[in-house]
Amino acid sequence: MALRGKVALVTGGAQGIGCAVVESLLKNEAKVSIVDLNQEVGEKCKKQLDEQFGVGNCSFIQCDVTDAAKLQEAFQSTVDQFGRLDIVINNAGINNEKNWEKTIEVNLTSVIKGTYLGLEHMSKEHGKQGGVVINVSSMAAFFHSPHQPVYTATKHGVIGFSRAMADASEHGDYGVRINTLCPAFVDTPLLHSVELEENMGKFVKFKDDFKHRMRKFGVLTPSLVAEGMMMMITDSRLNGAVMKITCSKGIHYHTYEPLSA
Ligand SMILES: NC(=O)C1=CN([C@@H]2O[C@H](COP(=O)(O)OP(=O)(O)OC[C@H]3O[C@@H](n4cnc5c(N)ncnc54)[C@H](O)[C@@H]3O)[C@@H](O)[C@H]2O)C=CC1
Ligand SMILES: CCCCCC(=O)/C=C/[C@H]1[C@H](O)CC(=O)[C@@H]1CCCCCCC(=O)O
């Protein structure tokens, strides 16, 4: 599955799921722009990937995705450096019920902005060649919980927005596929935030329920999530798809009732 000649931008690409996806993209010969808030981790990630895949195949751009101007600059810098844009993965996300406004900004507002910026650089309505956008939601959009009310809301929103935009792209002949990824628990640093009062506020008292669900449902590896991501990137039939990844069923898709006439 060569992606030679294709260019990808991954937000939150410095660690966790994003880093696993960046590695998969590089393995398949894409060029990748890593966009992440964390300067130290991002530079370390790029150094490791340069050693593994050779210099010149990926770039790191330190950027807070909630800073609209910086995010726009990151997209433009990617196109300036690699000459085009074909794949956008809006992956950056946080889990903070105390600063819940920030959670909405990162997990939903910035996914919307990243999708629109992707269309600016990929859509046929802008004279571009087309492409694919993958927005990262969560199984929290299907199994709500008492300790992540705003995180849950943002992940519901990602699905609704992405499916509506997929329809808009089809009706508007944008040539851009827009799909959603919904992993269950994944073994990344984000998972540990549920233990912290600074993240969860008053909801931290529900952390035992969260940990019970982790034991019950299991914890995925970032590499399996990256495998699902690559499937949605390369399968040109998929637009408006909602991929679920769980320990019990692996990689599968949510099916929706067809719109009644
Ligand atoms: N870990 C899990 O159990 C699950 C995670 N997800 C989602 O997957 C996505 C990735 O999460 P993980 O890899 O687990 O988390 P992580 O915390 O390991 O990585 C997230 C990355 O996003 C970056 N980031 C955070 N805020 C940012 C901002 N404002 N601007 C730019 N970069 C920013 C961080 O620096 C970090 O490198 C998130 O959207 C998360 O909600 C979905 C389901 C399960
Ligand atoms: C706290 C940051 C990481 C959050 C990871 C995430 O998205 C968790 C979602 C759980 C939510 O908090 C409540 C749940 O039960 C969600 C996980 C649901 C997994 C269902 C698996 C079902 C199956 O295997 O059949």
Side-chain angles (χ1 to χ4, degrees):
M1 166 183 48
L3 291 175
R4 189 180 305 122
K6 301 294 186 184
V7 176
L9 183 151
V10 182
T11 70
Q15 72 176 36
I17 291 168
C19 183
V21 175
V22 169
E23 194 168 348
S24 291
L25 287 161
L26 290 169
K27 278 177 183 170
N28 287 281
E29 301 177 81
K31 305 288 187 189
V32 187
S33 181
I34 303 164
V35 176
D36 201 292
L37 179 67
N38 192 319
Q39 179 88 32
E40 180 185 354
V41 174
E43 287 179 346
K44 183 179 174 185
C45 172
K46 180 185 182 317
K47 184 172 183 293
Q48 288 170 342
L49 293 171
D50 284 347
E51 290 168 1
Q52 190 175 354
F53 297 101
V55 175
N57 292 307
C58 73
S59 65
F60 169 66
I61 301 173
Q62 193 280 331
C63 168
D64 179 347
V65 295
T66 67
D67 181 329
K70 290 287 187 187
L71 187 61
Q72 187 170 32
E73 284 173 25
F75 274 77
Q76 190 56 56
S77 299
T78 300
V79 173
D80 292 344
Q81 176 169 357
F82 293 118
R84 58 186 291 141
L85 185 63
D86 304 281
I87 302 160
V88 173
I89 298 174
N90 292 302
N91 165 76
I94 62 172
N95 175 53
N96 194 318
E97 295 297 331
K98 231 175 175 177
N99 187 351
W100 59 267
E101 296 91 341
K102 189 72 174 177
T103 299
I104 291 174
E105 279 184 75
V106 177
N107 294 11
L108 183 55
T109 307
S110 301
V111 168
I112 294 169
K113 286 179 179 172
T115 301
Y116 287 161
L117 285 166
L119 289 174
E120 283 181 29
H121 291 282
M122 299 191 293
S123 173
K124 290 196 283 188
E125 61 180 332
H126 297 290
K128 307 299 182 183
Q129 79 289 341
V132 58
V133 175
I134 310 289
N135 292 329
V136 178
S137 174
S138 161
M139 284 300 290
F142 297 96
F143 289 78
H144 64 272
S145 59
H147 61 288
Q148 294 184 288
V150 173
Y151 178 90
T152 301
T154 65
K155 295 306 182 178
H156 275 269
V158 168
I159 293 176
F161 167 74
S162 302
R163 282 173 48 78
M165 281 307 300
D167 276 4
S169 182
E170 183 177 338
H171 292 305
D173 192 25
Y174 297 170
V176 177
R177 297 182 291 113
I178 300 163
N179 297 310
T180 310
L181 181 74
C182 303
F185 301 108
V186 187
D187 183 16
T188 74
L190 187 68
L191 265 186
H192 305 300
S193 60
V194 296
E195 305 264 4
L196 308 175
E197 192 278 336
E198 66 190 66
N199 284 73
M200 308 312 292
K202 68 179 182 180
F203 302 108
V204 73
K205 67 185 176 188
F206 300 131
K207 69 178 181 183
D208 291 341
D209 169 69
F210 188 92
K211 290 162 76 174
H212 168 72
R213 291 171 190 237
M214 282 175 61
R215 288 190 297 274
K216 175 181 177 181
F217 293 131
V219 180
L220 301 160
T221 61
S223 57
L224 179 63
V225 178
E227 184 182 331
M229 195 83 82
M230 295 304 289
M231 287 166 63
M232 287 200 288
I233 288 168
T234 56
D235 186 340
S236 59
R237 298 166 301 174
L238 296 178
N239 181 41
V242 177
M243 178 184 279
K244 294 169 159 177
I245 307 180
T246 63
C247 292
S248 62
K249 297 174 187 164
I251 295 172
H252 60 295
Y253 293 90
H254 189 72
T255 53
Y256 291 87
E257 290 294 317
L259 285 176
S260 57

